Amino acid sequence: MKERYHVSGMTCSACSAHVEKAVNKLAGMEKASVNLLTETMEVVYEEGILGAGQIIGAVEKAGYGAELIGDGRRTENRKANDREARGRRESGTTDRGGLQGKAKEEAKAMRRRLGISIGFLLPLMYVAMYHMYYEWFGIPIPRFVLETMHGNENAMTFAMTQFILLLPILYMNRKFFAVGFKTLAHLSPNMDSLIALGASAAIGYGIFAMYRISYGLGHGDMTLVQQYSHDLYFESAGMILTLITVGKYLESRSKGKTSAAITKLMDLSPKTAILLTEEGQEVEIPTEELMAGDIFLVKPGTLIPVDGIVIEGNSSVDEAAITGESVPVEKHAGEKVVSATMNKAGFLKCRAQRVGEDTTLSQIIRLVEEASASKAPIAQLADKVAGIFVPVVIGIALLTLCVWLLAGAGGEFAISTAIAVLVISCPCALGLATPVAIMVGTGVGAGAGILIKSGEALQRAREVDTVVMDKTGTITAGKLIVMEASVYVPDMWVNNLVKIAAALEKKSEHPLAEAVVEYAASMKISIPEVKEFQAVFGRGVEGILAEDIPAALDRKDQGVKAGTRFFVGNLPFMEENGIVVDPMAMQGIHRLADEGMTPLLIAKEGCFLGMIGVADQIKATSQKAIRKLKEMGIHVVMLTGDNKRTAEAVRKRLEIEEVVAEVLPQDKEKKISGLKAAGHKVAMIGDGINDAPALAAADVGMAIGAGTDVALESADIILMKSDLQDAVTAIRLSRAVIRNIKQNLFWAFFYNAIGIPLAAGLWYPMFGVKLNPMFGAAAMSLSSIFVVGNALRLRGFSRDFGHKEDKRDTADTMELSGGEAVSRVTETKAAKEATRITEGACVTEITMSPERKADMEKIMKIEGMMCAHCTGRVQKALEAVEGVGSVVMNLEEKTALVGLTSEASDEALTAAVTDAGYEVKEIIAK
């Protein structure tokens, strides 16, 4: 059983350590983890042996308060659960809203407490030190002060005035004493105990001094009166309490900023929704009243209230708030919509699917909250130190007092050093070092569409030296598209070849068929009807054309007559139907396979016509991400169930170091386990159910956001945008967060290691350096503020990859070796089509899809080109490289746009330019 509790009364890491220790002692408790920053406790226990009442009782016995957050269970009756949640909202007792309300009330009380404390401290300091202000700053001393407080005869008035001014400060800060002595009585002292002991020692000594002054005045001992009138320490007690309160106030404001990401996410949720009733009426209701199955409407410019599915309408939806992707996504009937995303243009009618705490937004908030409340292993040392820190400090203070008294120092000196030890020691900095950095880091990640489930995952991601990734859906888009179409007969236009293939494939349900039909539609190619359609499993399809395809005279195309039988399928299918594929076509088939495409062959009775290359398109950002991982010193491995030829083609194109092909789901898990056994820290990136075992086995599992629920549950980090670059960002972010935590821990330990000996007067005999308790209190407050401020620097974390995308539209010329005639290749936004024609060769025409063409372009940045002669030399050198089809030079930008007809390595291109006498600065794959 897993539950979360809000724990009240904690002020430092010693408190969280004591609560954690008390709860972990309970029988049946598997794990209890307390987070000081979020004031929450996560527990995992055996249901039936232990219950919430016992857990709360253990916390209260330790001297703190506890309150269960939510019920931790899922009810099977969803509507009953929704009504229960609605009732809690109407009564104002929602978990997050209630805690936010408490936080606001506490902040208001803190401001009032601080204001009154400062209001009485200023006159207290003036009365106590008016003579110093006159000597240092020339501030005149009012007459009534001179008449009533100056001189030995007014010593008691002087002391009583300070004591009276101190009383409101003591009252406003009574919490330090109430909590401090309460925890001390429970033998679990915390920071409040140190403050209470320090302030009480100062006040006690001041009251003792008042009695001594009274004795001196009564017995005429003016020397005794003068001695103790300068040793009252009331101003020190007031300053200590006020400075600590100032520190707490600034710390709480800074901590509020660390949770800004969660607050922003919560603010995204729309407050109302438009419900379409069964009678067809539109009713505006609170979003929390929507239930699964309800029909709701989303008007242009409004937020989508819950997760659902579009049943009517078309629109573009801005999903930046959830995924971080700035480009709006088109939505139509059957598409899913997500809560808190913005409907930009059209009108949508949707059916609610996930409501209340089950919406994507609520789950993101829950993940971020849980990650913020979790602990990283690096915090274990700080937790252990915090658990014994306060008792050790009290011991050091008592030892300091005794040593100085035995050494012959005066009681005032000994008490002053002991008080300084108590108030300078800061367990807060130790307690805050880890959670503030984790909270800010996970918030930054959430803002970038990267959901990190725990602090442990964040730390493990930093240690990753090997990234294993699935191909389909991770490196690639997970959707087959037509990359290339080629005709091998002289009297047919390539568009008519596609038209024939689409006509047959339209009746097939194979993924390859869907790709061909979609390609035809995107090229605005009309699809004719076929009759006598037959599908042969594992081979292909055949059918008779039911209508004529007109001739395209400008393309030397003779058209196709109705009644012709056509075949579309693989090579065995062609052979079974007596169709001979000549050697040149076989070379084309092998070339497509070598480049990672599946050849789809098209023929008519007795004659091979051409082929279409279909492939799973590589995502535009995958190559950049893989390159960046390699630059970070991370070994990249690709796992795929595809055949070795396809896998090798992807490996070459993306320059991946290691590929394992033809693997089953269990083989992926074995590969991960093998790498871990070899001593590697492994991250696995995947998206499907078949990746779940590997995701769970890896040190860090990263799931693509568009993947299955099983994959998302198995992962430690979720990449909402389905972008491999976010995996790089997650690793960089983890490194930044852990580096920040180390800085915080170093400061916390360094501060106490330097401050405590200084306060104890260790350097006084040698250098005459002694710390005033007031400065110790100020230093204590500043140490916590420093730690929180350092963590807030993470909010400036940058996702910059160092390369700007080249968004220029280009017009290029490509050439196929082996012929003199060259046709133009033009690329536009509307219909980008590349056509190559060679006279006297078997291949008469090839059409490439925009994606295919983009995959075969590289931009080279070249230094040393000064004139057109230089660009001509570079162009000639590059055109001589095997696989290069076109080169477009740009002297002004010092670049070469290289179009490839087949694979050409960066090394070969660089060598060609270097041999020509120029220097290649960078090569970017478009």
Side-chain angles (χ1 to χ4, degrees):
M1 183 65 184
K2 186 176 181 180
E3 290 178 338
R4 291 182 75 215
Y5 292 80
H6 173 67
V7 181
S8 58
M10 297 190 300
T11 56
C12 68
S13 56
C15 301
S16 58
H18 290 311
V19 173
E20 201 169 281
K21 187 177 180 181
V23 176
N24 273 317
K25 284 181 179 178
L26 294 172
M29 179 61 63
E30 294 178 13
K31 182 183 178 184
S33 177
V34 180
N35 187 294
L36 172 64
L37 180 65
T38 56
E39 295 184 341
T40 57
M41 174 176 66
E42 275 198 2
V43 296
V44 180
Y45 63 88
E46 293 182 36
E47 197 171 5
I49 300 177
L50 198 57
Q54 294 164 280
I55 294 170
I56 293 172
V59 175
E60 290 175 345
K61 189 176 178 182
Y64 305 90
E67 180 185 353
L68 182 63
I69 299 175
D71 60 3
R73 298 173 175 84
R74 297 275 180 180
T75 175
E76 292 182 6
N77 190 328
R78 174 51 54 198
K79 289 196 174 182
N81 200 33
D82 289 341
R83 289 192 187 98
E84 182 186 338
R86 187 190 314 166
R88 292 202 308 269
R89 289 183 175 93
E90 288 171 352
S91 63
T93 58
T94 58
D95 301 332
R96 295 185 182 116
L99 294 181
Q100 277 192 321
K102 287 180 183 177
K104 288 179 181 178
E105 288 176 13
E106 288 174 5
K108 186 178 178 181
M110 177 72 79
R111 283 195 298 271
R112 180 170 173 271
R113 172 176 148 192
L114 178 60
I116 294 174
S117 297
I118 293 174
F120 281 91
L121 177 69
L122 293 176
L124 171 60
M125 292 300 295
Y126 180 78
V127 169
M129 307 175 73
Y130 66 88
H131 56 285
M132 295 176 65
Y133 294 143
Y134 175 73
E135 292 173 5
W136 293 353
F137 309 111
I139 298 174
I141 304 172
R143 191 169 186 176
F144 81 92
V145 173
L146 287 172
E147 292 176 353
T148 59
M149 300 183 195
H150 190 65
N152 290 338
E153 66 277 8
N154 293 319
M156 183 54 71
T157 307
F158 177 66
M160 186 59 69
T161 302
Q162 291 183 52
F163 184 65
I164 291 170
L165 288 170
L166 176 64
L167 289 177
I169 299 175
L170 293 177
Y171 178 75
M172 294 309 299
N173 295 281
R174 62 192 181 279
K175 182 180 177 183
F176 289 129
F177 299 93
V179 175
F181 288 123
K182 182 180 178 182
T183 54
L184 193 60
H186 283 90
L187 300 179
S188 57
N190 63 0
M191 186 199 73
D192 289 341
S193 303
L194 296 178
I195 297 166
L197 287 171
S200 297
I203 296 164
Y205 186 79
I207 293 172
F208 170 75
M210 287 176 69
Y211 277 100
R212 295 299 290 163
I213 290 169
S214 179
Y215 178 85
L217 289 171
H219 291 78
D221 189 348
M222 292 299 114
T223 304
L224 186 68
V225 171
Q226 185 175 7
Q227 175 189 342
Y228 280 100
S229 64
H230 290 94
D231 292 343
L232 290 169
Y233 276 99
F234 289 138
E235 81 284 359
S236 292
M239 181 64 81
I240 288 168
L241 293 171
T242 304
L243 282 175
I244 297 298
T245 304
V246 169
K248 286 288 181 185
Y249 175 70
L250 294 175
E251 182 185 312
S252 66
R253 290 195 61 182
S254 298
K255 286 196 288 188
K257 292 179 182 177
T258 66
S259 59
I262 296 175
T263 305
K264 285 180 181 177
L265 285 170
M266 292 172 69
D267 290 343
L268 287 174
S269 181
K271 303 297 182 288
T272 60
I274 300 175
L275 175 69
L276 187 66
T277 65
E278 294 178 358
E279 294 78 25
Q281 294 181 334
E282 297 180 16
V283 181
E284 187 171 316
I285 62 171
T287 300
E288 53 266 25
E289 292 188 13
L290 271 181
M291 297 182 184
D294 285 347
I295 305 298
F296 64 92
L297 307 178
V298 187
K299 296 180 179 179
T302 61
L303 292 169
I304 296 171
V306 297
D307 293 7
I309 189 166
V310 179
I311 56 177
E312 188 179 312
N314 296 281
S315 183
S316 58
V317 175
D318 183 356
E319 298 183 342
I322 300 298
T323 66
E325 181 59 60
S326 58
V327 180
V329 180
E330 295 297 321
K331 300 290 183 181
H332 50 78
E335 294 275 348
K336 290 185 177 180
V337 290
V338 178
S339 58
T341 55
M342 174 68 74
N343 182 22
K344 301 291 286 185
F347 181 86
L348 296 175
K349 182 178 178 182
C350 311
R351 177 179 288 108
Q353 290 185 319
R354 292 182 176 181
V355 299
E357 297 298 312
D358 289 335
T359 65
T360 299
L361 178 64
S362 292
Q363 290 180 15
I364 290 173
I365 293 171
R366 177 177 55 80
L367 284 174
V368 175
E369 284 180 336
E370 288 179 356
S372 299
S374 66
K375 289 187 177 181
I378 196 172
Q380 291 175 354
L381 175 61
D383 288 345
K384 288 177 181 178
V385 172
I388 61 171
F389 184 85
V390 175
V392 169
V393 167
I394 293 173
I396 292 172
L398 290 172
L399 181 64
T400 299
L401 178 68
C402 295
V403 168
W404 281 116
L405 288 174
L406 291 172
E412 183 271 336
F413 184 94
I415 292 173
S416 173
T417 52
I419 292 171
V421 169
L422 290 171
V423 298
I424 199 173
S425 306
C426 188
C428 282
L430 281 170
L432 293 171
T434 301
V436 289
I438 289 177
M439 175 170 271
V440 177
T442 52
V444 168
I450 302 166
L451 301 183
I452 302 166
K453 290 186 177 181
S454 68
E456 187 176 357
L458 195 65
Q459 181 171 339
R460 288 202 306 263
R462 174 208 173 253
E463 300 165 352
V464 165
D465 60 21
T466 304
V467 170
V468 179
M469 55 186 73
D470 179 48
K471 181 183 80 71
T472 306
T474 302
I475 295 175
T476 64
K479 180 179 175 62
L480 293 172
I481 61 169
V482 171
M483 304 295 284
E484 180 177 310
S486 48
V487 177
Y488 282 75
V489 290
D491 56 354
M492 177 171 282
W493 181 28
V494 69
N495 277 22
N496 282 346
L497 181 79
V498 174
K499 185 176 290 191
I500 292 166
L504 270 72
E505 297 288 17
K506 186 178 179 181
K507 296 191 174 185
S508 173
E509 295 180 355
H510 196 280
L512 291 171
E514 183 182 351
V516 173
V517 173
E518 285 186 1
Y519 178 70
S522 70
M523 299 298 291
K524 294 182 171 53
I525 297 173
S526 60
I527 302 176
E529 293 296 322
V530 295
K531 57 185 180 181
E532 297 183 23
F533 172 83
Q534 290 183 28
V536 181
F537 182 76
R539 290 290 190 266
V541 295
E542 63 177 281
I544 297 173
L545 199 64
E547 56 187 90
D548 292 342
I549 297 178
L553 300 178
D554 59 329
R555 295 278 181 168
K556 299 181 181 179
D557 178 78
Q558 296 182 357
V560 181
K561 296 290 184 183
T564 308
R565 181 177 293 275
F566 290 97
F567 305 89
V568 179
N570 55 23
L571 185 60
F573 189 54
M574 298 293 115
E575 293 171 348
E576 288 169 7
N577 286 280
I579 296 161
V580 178
V581 180
D582 60 48
M584 181 63 74
M586 287 300 299
Q587 287 182 17
I589 293 170
H590 293 317
R591 178 181 63 81
L592 292 181
D594 289 338
E595 294 179 12
M597 287 181 270
T598 300
L600 199 61
L601 311 184
I602 300 102
K604 63 180 180 181
E605 289 178 300
C607 179
F608 176 73
L609 300 175
M611 67 183 78
I612 294 174
V614 180
D616 186 359
Q617 182 192 358
I618 294 173
K619 294 177 185 176
T621 56
S622 292
Q623 188 165 26
K624 289 183 183 178
I626 291 167
R627 185 191 300 126
K628 189 66 179 178
L629 287 170
K630 290 165 69 177
E631 288 174 5
M632 292 165 65
I634 295 173
H635 179 65
V636 180
V637 181
M638 184 180 81
L639 295 183
T640 177
D642 286 347
N643 61 70
K644 291 182 180 178
R645 196 172 219 166
T646 300
E648 182 63 19
V650 175
R651 187 199 70 78
K652 285 183 179 178
R653 186 175 302 174
L654 299 180
E655 299 177 359
I656 296 173
E657 297 157 308
E658 183 182 349
V659 169
V660 182
E662 299 176 358
V663 293
L664 297 173
Q666 58 268 32
D667 296 329
K668 292 182 181 181
E669 189 272 333
K670 287 178 183 175
K671 178 65 178 177
I672 298 292
S673 299
L675 287 168
K676 288 175 68 177
H680 293 286
K681 298 295 182 182
V682 184
M684 170 69 191
I685 309 173
D687 71 321
I689 292 174
N690 62 339
D691 297 320
L695 287 169
D699 293 296
V700 180
M702 297 187 187
I704 295 296
T708 63
D709 290 340
V710 175
L712 299 181
E713 286 294 325
S714 303
D716 302 298
I717 298 173
I718 299 172
L719 311 177
M720 294 295 290
K721 284 188 291 189
S722 303
D723 187 342
L724 266 184
Q725 288 186 139
D726 285 344
V728 179
T729 302
I731 295 172
R732 287 180 56 241
L733 178 62
S734 73
R735 292 180 177 182
V737 170
I738 299 304
R739 183 166 57 249
N740 191 278
I741 290 173
K742 287 182 176 180
Q743 292 168 354
N744 288 344
L745 288 173
F746 171 79
W747 166 254
F749 283 112
F750 174 79
Y751 162 81
N752 285 292
I754 297 297
I756 292 175
L758 177 63
L762 194 64
W763 312 119
Y764 186 76
M766 291 176 282
F767 307 107
V769 178
K770 175 179 174 293
L771 187 70
N772 188 297
M774 290 186 287
F775 292 110
M780 179 184 185
S781 299
L782 288 172
S783 66
S784 297
I785 296 168
F786 176 88
V787 165
V788 177
N790 186 48
L792 287 173
R793 292 191 307 112
L794 288 168
R795 294 168 74 183
F797 176 81
S798 172
R799 296 180 64 246
D800 183 31
F801 272 73
H803 299 300
K804 292 183 179 178
E805 290 188 27
D806 193 329
K807 297 181 179 179
R808 297 171 299 168
D809 288 335
T810 58
D812 311 328
T813 300
M814 297 184 70
E815 182 179 353
L816 180 67
S817 59
E820 296 178 0
V822 180
S823 76
R824 56 185 171 75
V825 178
T826 306
E827 185 173 336
T828 64
K829 287 182 180 178
K832 303 174 187 173
E833 181 180 272
T835 306
R836 306 181 300 180
I837 301 177
T838 302
E839 301 294 341
C842 288
V843 184
T844 64
E845 191 171 3
I846 297 179
T847 295
M848 296 184 188
S849 70
E851 295 83 3
R852 169 71 172 144
K853 187 171 186 292
D855 275 348
M856 299 181 69
E857 288 183 342
K858 294 184 179 183
I859 298 173
M860 301 182 68
K861 294 184 179 180
I862 302 168
E863 286 291 332
M865 297 190 299
M866 306 297 292
C867 61
H869 176 70
C870 296
T871 57
R873 287 189 64 187
V874 172
Q875 183 171 355
K876 186 175 181 180
L878 288 171
E879 287 174 345
V881 177
E882 184 178 354
V884 174
S886 71
V887 179
V888 177
M889 304 301 300
N890 188 318
L891 179 60
E892 184 178 347
E893 296 186 9
K894 301 288 191 293
T895 61
L897 179 63
V898 181
L900 305 178
T901 58
S902 60
E903 186 66 32
S905 68
D906 289 354
E907 290 77 11
L909 296 173
T910 301
V913 174
T914 303
D915 291 343
Y918 302 90
E919 182 184 359
V920 177
K921 303 297 289 184
E922 187 177 16
I923 300 179
I924 303 172
K926 281 193 68 179

